[in-house]
Amino acid sequence: MDSLNRANTNSLWSSVLVECLYQCGLRQVVISPGSRSTPLTVAFASHSGIEAIPVLDERSAGFFALGLAKQSHKPVALVCTSGTAAVNYFPAVVEASEACVPLLVLTADRPHELRNCGAGQTIDQIRLYGNYPVCQEEMALPSVSVEALEEMRDQLGRTFAAGFRGPVHLNCPFRDPLPPTPDQSVPGDFQLSDGFYSDLPVASSCTPTEPIKIDIQSGKGFILCGTETPENPAAYCQAVARLAEKTDWPVLADGLSPARNHAIPGVQPITSYDLILRNSDLRKSLKPECVIALGPLPTSKELRKWLSEIDAQIYHVHTMGKNLDPTGKVVQVLDQPVELLGNVFKFLERGDKPYCERWSVAQRQASEQIADAFESESSQNFEGRIAWKLPQWLPTNTPLFVASSMPVRDVEYFLPSNESQIKVYASRGVNGIDGTLSTALGIAHDNQSSVLLTGDLAFLHDSNGLLIRPKLKGHLTVILINNRGGGIFNHLPVASFEPPFEDFFATPQEVDFKKCVEGIGCEYIHVEQIDELKEYLSTMPLSGIRVIEVETDRHRDSEYRKQLFKSISQILV
């Protein structure tokens, strides 16, 4: 197939670049408008095998691409013009780096002779994103020669393969003319050899290290399933089941893990570990001698602090190629997918029955207490109750994106073990609220109808994401918890200092969300009670963006959450 655009040098170069990326496996690109990136935009938009999605705001575009890549587990490209446009990708690049999400960032740039001389829309874009990309290079200026195109092809092959571990940045300089204006410098009979693209590598998402054998000599241990959303949740859960069967150890599962949201034969996951560890007696008696941690550690500060205090052997299984151990207690990292663990571990003792039973008893007690509390009248409009109810209300397999701050913590605290097979996502690389709405839209795009659980500040911080609506293939329902401020700060020591707590930390807002949402052409619904959400979630629309606002009391919910933690942890034995 002849995919060359011979209009001019830039057009030819860019059409080869895009075809190279297609041959490597690229299938989606998010493009923001701009002049200097014209050759790339035309080439991507003209390629029939790559979905090109226009997004006006580069910051929103970066997170939309992040959501697409989280959903597909494959690299997604970003294209923007030169100058501050490229800077607006930075937050998404940082999150992609810390969470090892594959992004291919193509920033257009001025040629060398127009840099550092006052030319408009020109900044220093070399190593623009610091050390966050796993690979960053500057492309050569476009040239019509087979040798130059071969060098470009080889460069793209290397960088695309590297990008499965995180973001890649390619800075792409272009001289005028930028549009596909006919140019005498491109011979009409210019051709590439039939095998030009055949030398491109077929990239693999994971290259596991050589399997090793590890002997575990203790019966007091547990399997810890962290904040990981694997490509194949069923295979992940089967691997967890095999480990649990070999050990008889309890399985502690974060709210974002498939282990909490899928049936695992023979396993009843421990989901209330944060509450359990608030009991000082259980904190001592449940100390393990060994932990097998799968993926990034759970969000729980109680759990992380406890792991850093105890003297246990911790084996950390993940493929992210970086240090993910804030406890400082990991004795060995296994760079392998959970599904390929196979016979790595040999357990010389079965699980200690009294130890394992203490975990099970504490979990049953905590679950009963949470259920009793959430069925009572006093909790009817407590925001944490939404996380407890979602598995009952959402259709099977629903993708659910959870915002940082209180929503992701309430999911960890209260979302029960269930068999809904909901696919839970979150931005836990940097744990920020940046790009919350846009990332959720990326998860929803060309996917099953999806849901975002978010607070008001995270929503407002990325409200430009609503502008993606006309290009969204599919549907996103936003459950907007409006407690008029940052609820998580009510749980921090600074909450007792006034001033400046309310204005500078809680940052209350008085936005009319109905006007905000409907003004951009999205559907808005207001519910008075949390249980009214069930009506809107049991059957989901197939297209568009729908925002369902539920108003809660930030101060009341903060006190309720603290009292609930205290009362339940004291009852546990």
Side-chain angles (χ1 to χ4, degrees), residues 350-535:
R350 300 296 291 180
D352 183 284
K353 289 187 177 180
Y355 174 80
C356 298
E357 184 63 18
R358 277 196 294 274
W359 274 111
S360 297
V361 169
Q363 175 60 42
R364 284 196 298 270
Q365 293 175 335
S367 296
E368 291 170 0
Q369 291 297 318
I370 291 172
D372 288 345
F374 285 174
E375 293 295 356
S376 69
E377 186 68 28
S378 61
S379 75
Q380 293 306 300
N381 246 31
F382 168 56
E383 62 188 29
R385 192 166 172 273
I386 298 174
W388 186 64
K389 282 288 191 180
L390 278 180
Q392 301 175 41
W393 293 342
L394 293 177
T396 302
N397 291 317
T398 298
L400 169 66
F401 189 81
V402 183
S404 293
S405 297
M406 283 317 307
V408 76
R409 286 167 173 80
D410 280 342
V411 163
E412 183 173 35
Y413 298 147
F414 304 127
L415 191 142
S417 174
N418 65 87
E419 299 179 12
S420 68
Q421 300 181 32
I422 56 176
K423 301 173 184 176
V424 191
Y425 300 85
S427 289
R428 302 313 292 162
V430 192
N431 306 348
I433 64 171
D434 306 78
T436 295
L437 176 58
S438 298
T439 308
L441 287 164
I443 296 293
H445 186 77
D446 206 14
N447 199 358
Q448 182 173 339
S449 295
S450 305
V451 171
L452 164 63
L453 178 63
T454 182
D456 51 312
L457 295 189
F459 180 85
L460 289 172
H461 200 267
D462 188 36
S463 57
N464 266 9
L466 294 175
L467 298 174
I468 295 172
R469 180 193 58 80
K471 300 299 179 182
L472 177 66
K473 294 181 181 178
H475 172 78
L476 178 70
T477 284
V478 179
I479 302 174
L480 173 59
I481 302 171
N482 182 7
N483 60 18
R484 292 178 173 78
I488 191 170
F489 293 106
N490 286 71
H491 291 269
L492 300 180
V494 73
S496 61
F497 293 88
E498 186 61 61
F501 173 71
E502 194 66 13
D503 286 343
F504 291 90
F505 292 90
T507 53
Q509 51 75 28
E510 299 179 357
V511 172
D512 185 331
F513 285 100
K514 177 177 171 60
K515 292 181 180 178
C516 172
V517 170
E518 291 183 342
I520 301 182
C522 301
E523 182 183 3
Y524 170 85
I525 298 169
H526 182 274
V527 296
E528 295 292 338
Q529 299 293 325
I530 284 174
D531 279 6
E532 293 177 47
L533 291 169
K534 179 181 179 180
E535 173 188 349

Side-chain angles (χ1 to χ4, degrees), residues 63 66 70 91-92 94-101 225-229 254-257 273-274 295-301 304 320 322-324 326 400-413 424-436 439 443 453 458 488:
F63 283 102
L66 186 83
K70 279 176 174 284
V94 173
E95 175 63 27
S97 177
E98 294 302 308
C100 294
V101 177
C225 299
T227 60
E228 186 170 22
T229 308
D254 185 275
L256 306 181
S257 171
Y273 48 82
D274 187 278
L297 295 184
T299 299
S300 169
K301 182 181 288 188
R304 291 185 176 211
M320 298 178 75
K322 60 174 64 179
N323 181 15
L324 298 180
L400 169 66
F401 189 81
V402 183
S404 293
S405 297
M406 283 317 307
V408 76
R409 286 167 173 80
D410 280 342
V411 163
E412 183 173 35
Y413 298 147
V424 191
Y425 300 85
S427 289
R428 302 313 292 162
V430 192
N431 306 348
I433 64 171
D434 306 78
T436 295
T439 308
I443 296 293
L453 178 63
I488 191 170

Side-chain angles (χ1 to χ4, degrees), residues 272 274-282 365-366 369 562-573:
S272 300
D274 187 278
L275 285 171
I276 293 169
L277 293 174
R278 293 171 189 262
N279 180 298
S280 58
D281 291 337
L282 289 173
Q365 293 175 335
Q369 291 297 318
K562 292 173 185 176
Q563 289 301 317
L564 187 64
F565 290 164
K566 183 177 180 181
S567 62
I568 293 179
S569 64
Q570 289 176 344
I571 291 172
L572 302 178
V573 294

Side-chain angles (χ1 to χ4, degrees), residues 98 200 444 542:
E98 294 302 308
L200 285 164
L542 298 178

Side-chain angles (χ1 to χ4, degrees), residues 239-276:
V240 173
R242 288 193 293 270
L243 273 179
E245 184 180 12
K246 286 183 177 181
T247 61
D248 288 330
W249 286 0
V251 175
L252 280 61
D254 185 275
L256 306 181
S257 171
R260 195 182 292 201
N261 301 297
H262 290 67
I264 304 179
V267 174
Q268 185 61 40
I270 306 298
T271 62
S272 300
Y273 48 82
D274 187 278
L275 285 171
I276 293 169

